[in-house]
Amino acid sequence: MEAPVTSRSPTPGLARFNALEERAAATALHEVCASAEWGRRLLAGRPYTVVDDLLAASDAAMAGLTAADLAEAVAGHPPIGRPEPGDAASAREQRGMAGAPAELGAEMLELNLAYQERFGHVFLIRATGRTGEQMRDALRRRLANSPEQEREITRTELGAINRIRLSRLVTEDPTAA
């Protein structure tokens, strides 16, 4: 499983992020999380001294999102098993469904639809490092949750996804081929 980077020292990627013009930084953050409020809160905290500070700011911003902000963030994610064409991040994160047997794919589609009908949004899980079967089993379990329980689990999962994506943003070399 891919773990978020933690660092108590500055990284070149963090320096690049801090130096981005506001609009470019907002765009980069929107690719991490579709919540405009989450992005605003992280922008307001720049510059970040170390990666841990950025990740802590992300956690705090996630904890402070309203139900509407959370819905906006979740709306930026495709259903498990159906990453957006051309979206390298969701394809990479959902790798556990790549090559899954047709029966598992069909079951995930059915469960995703039941979840969406029950909760009004796509099933969200930190898919990185999980197999298709693990995601299916989690989806089955979570269908029994109350809407309130599910909202908080979704918030936690989204926070984990954001940490992974932010870590990648500030550690990957954008000039590497």
Side-chain angles (χ1 to χ4, degrees), residues 47-170:
Y48 294 97
T49 307
V50 295
V51 174
D52 285 346
D53 292 345
L54 175 63
L55 297 177
S58 174
D59 293 345
M62 184 58 51
L65 293 184
T66 66
D69 296 329
L70 191 58
E72 179 183 34
V74 171
H77 288 266
I80 295 293
R82 292 182 292 164
E84 291 289 327
D87 182 350
S90 76
R92 178 177 46 241
E93 291 164 356
Q94 294 191 32
R95 196 176 349 212
M97 285 299 295
E103 301 79 33
L104 179 58
E107 186 177 8
M108 284 298 287
L109 176 60
E110 183 180 313
L111 289 167
N112 269 309
L113 292 172
Y115 182 96
Q116 278 188 269
E117 184 162 316
R118 175 154 167 66
F119 297 109
H121 58 83
V122 298
F123 170 70
L124 189 71
I125 189 169
R126 179 202 36 83
T128 300
R130 289 190 167 128
T131 66
E133 290 81 4
Q134 289 170 324
M135 289 183 274
R136 178 205 54 212
D137 294 347
L139 201 161
R140 282 180 181 160
R141 281 190 307 275
R142 286 173 54 187
L143 274 167
N145 289 339
S146 71
E148 296 76 21
Q149 288 172 310
E150 193 54 27
R151 184 175 42 253
E152 292 313 308
I153 291 170
T154 297
R155 182 185 306 272
T156 300
E157 293 292 330
L158 185 60
I161 293 165
N162 289 354
R163 280 178 148 263
I164 290 168
R165 289 179 174 187
L166 279 171
S167 295
R168 185 173 288 116
L169 174 71
V170 298

